[in-house]
Amino acid sequence: MDRRVSPRTVTQKARTQRLRTDPGDKPPRARLLVDERRAQLLALGLSLFGARSYDEVSIDELARAAGVSKGLLYHYFPTKRDLYTAALRHAAQQLLEETLPPPDMLPEDRARRGIETYLSFAERHGPAYVALMRGGLGADSEIVNILEETRATIAQRILDALPIGPTPIVRAAVRGWIGFVEATALDWLAHQQVERGRLVTLLTGLLVDVVGRAAITI
Amino acid sequence: MDRRVSPRTVTQKARTQRLRTDPGDKPPRARLLVDERRAQLLALGLSLFGARSYDEVSIDELARAAGVSKGLLYHYFPTKRDLYTAALRHAAQQLLEETLPPPDMLPEDRARRGIETYLSFAERHGPAYVALMRGGLGADSEIVNILEETRATIAQRILDALPIGPTPIVRAAVRGWIGFVEATALDWLAHQQVERGRLVTLLTGLLVDVVGRAAITI
DNA sequence: TTGTCTATTGAATCCTGGTCAATAGACGCT
DNA sequence: AGCGTCTATTGACCAGGATTCAATAGACAA
């Protein structure tokens, strides 16, 4: 990936005609603030990577959809993978922010609120949520880590609220419960066969079951 | 991907020298039966794609590892993705075969046996199992389908054994439980912090909890 | 031995990820 | 207003990996 490109022999004529291919047909360059442009590209990346798999979305397509050149994409993100990673990380951070319950709630209400806001996020950010969930499916360690760190944060919120200390099996059970939540959330997004409130009730009740079961599993 | 290649202008000299670059250094062509060759390529694909991510494994590398030409790979599988897909499908079929409990068992014992054989498969086929679960970066719909069909088959085995009819929420709960199993299986493979029998007991007990909870969730 | 079928090959082609020199937008200063 | 500076933006170019394709050789039957 660190390619040594051969020196370019640029003729005098090519030099003067560079970037001047029929300028009459092109809109003028639109220069944005760095933050604005970066945010635009992240949102677009999430949108496209949420709808199709990573290698189905080419840099060319991303550039066309954003109305910019490929070179600009590389100005902001060193590689296509970096854009993908940044977009997923952005979605993960949003998810964690939006699912953090108020600290003055009772633990039982916090769990329910957390699950409610989780499903709400999944619904409002449909493709971005799917991209995040599927991104973690890859074997690329950096991207798996984004999702695993997100899960670990959520797990820690749960463990912090438990009246018992976290044994390995309780940790594993909480991790499994998060897998349960993700599977039902994706199933729910895809099929919409269960009413949301009912799903929240199921997930909340199951958290208690899971922890209880794990605590007594010898 | 359906590329129209321009007609090749092959000189008379190039035509007679085709496939004749220093034949003294090459082993003779080894022609295999179609089934044998295909099975070889699937096993190799699973091995390599299980160890590294999809786009880290090139067609060149696959060909070299198999001791064949790139052209042969394309003779058997239309694209690199098709080889990948076929390999995953093969792993999924193996998983379903090896986790099917004997039909004359009691339902409770079937569930435990199913879970035991599932974890056993995950352990024995480590990287292949992980590849199946992770499917590749932002897995495309065909690959997601392989995994979803596998899960649906497992879910149907569970639902068939239930004394109650499957309402949408029971279906969702069973789907969630499968998510739970997968999450804990992957966690267990990665960290080995819980003894396997204990995990089996947890998962078996939780299946009862999950179904019971779903049945009463109004 | 000859003919036929097709698995196998390696060179050629193309597309996508990435590079890079030139340019133009934006701003500050005189 | 004009000039200088910085850098976002561009489009042509490049290389490697995915794919194509015409030629060849292995295997079998007559």
Side-chain angles (χ1 to χ4, degrees), chain B residues 3 5 8 15 19 29 31 59 70 74 80:
Chain B
R3 289 183 297 171
V5 185
R8 307 187 188 203
R15 195 189 308 269
L19 300 180
R29 294 184 180 191
R31 192 167 173 140
I59 278 281
K70 292 198 286 185
Y74 286 101
K80 180 185 169 189

Side-chain angles (χ1 to χ4, degrees), chain A residues 158-177:
Chain A
I158 296 167
L159 295 172
D160 284 346
L162 293 187
I164 56 175
T167 61
I169 199 159
V170 169
R171 285 184 184 279
V174 169
R175 174 67 192 81
W177 179 79

Side-chain angles (χ1 to χ4, degrees), chain B residues 17 43 71 92 104 109 112 116 128 152 169 178 183 188 194 200 206 217:
Chain B
Q17 291 203 334
D104 54 350
D109 294 334
R112 173 171 278 270
E116 279 170 346
I169 199 159
I178 290 167
W188 173 64
V194 179
V200 171
L206 263 181
T217 300

Side-chain angles (χ1 to χ4, degrees), chain B residues 69-86:
Chain B
S69 69
K70 292 198 286 185
L72 182 138
L73 288 177
Y74 286 101
H75 177 79
Y76 283 87
F77 301 98
T79 64
K80 180 185 169 189
R81 177 58 61 124
D82 283 311
L83 168 56
Y84 183 67
T85 301

Side-chain angles (χ1 to χ4, degrees), chain B residues 27-50:
Chain B
R29 294 184 180 191
R31 192 167 173 140
L32 296 189
L33 292 177
V34 170
D35 287 349
E36 286 176 6
R37 181 69 81 185
R38 190 178 161 89
Q40 177 206 9
L41 298 178
L42 284 179
L44 180 76
L46 208 42
S47 165
L48 289 188
F49 289 127

